[in-house]
Amino acid sequence: LVLLRGARVLTISGSTIHVEMAWGAADFKWAVQTNVNTKFFNASGENETLADIQPGDTITVTGMLAPSGSEQSVAATFVRE
């Protein structure tokens, strides 16, 4: 299980949200893979869609580690702005 809290959205490509997180002086980039089962919520807990997420937004992601090529990936269960 993966929890990404305070991830800044860099880009959105198809159903994948590319995010960056800082930890001290290090930056970590993740690919957040979404699908039809991913639930999206705004800060008030109301339903959203992937289309409501924009570069520059800060999101929280819950999901499972996903196999990927060169970047860390998470198969998102929940995405919250």
Side-chain angles (χ1 to χ4, degrees), residues 31-76:
V32 178
Q33 302 169 357
T34 66
N35 59 45
V36 296
N37 296 318
T38 303
K39 307 287 187 220
F40 293 89
F41 301 99
N42 65 18
S44 300
E46 298 168 346
N47 289 330
E48 281 193 335
T49 67
L50 177 58
D52 295 312
I53 307 294
Q54 301 295 319
D57 288 351
T58 300
I59 61 174
T60 297
V61 178
T62 304
M64 300 298 290
L65 274 178
S68 179
S70 62
E71 59 188 343
Q72 298 293 331
S73 295
V74 58

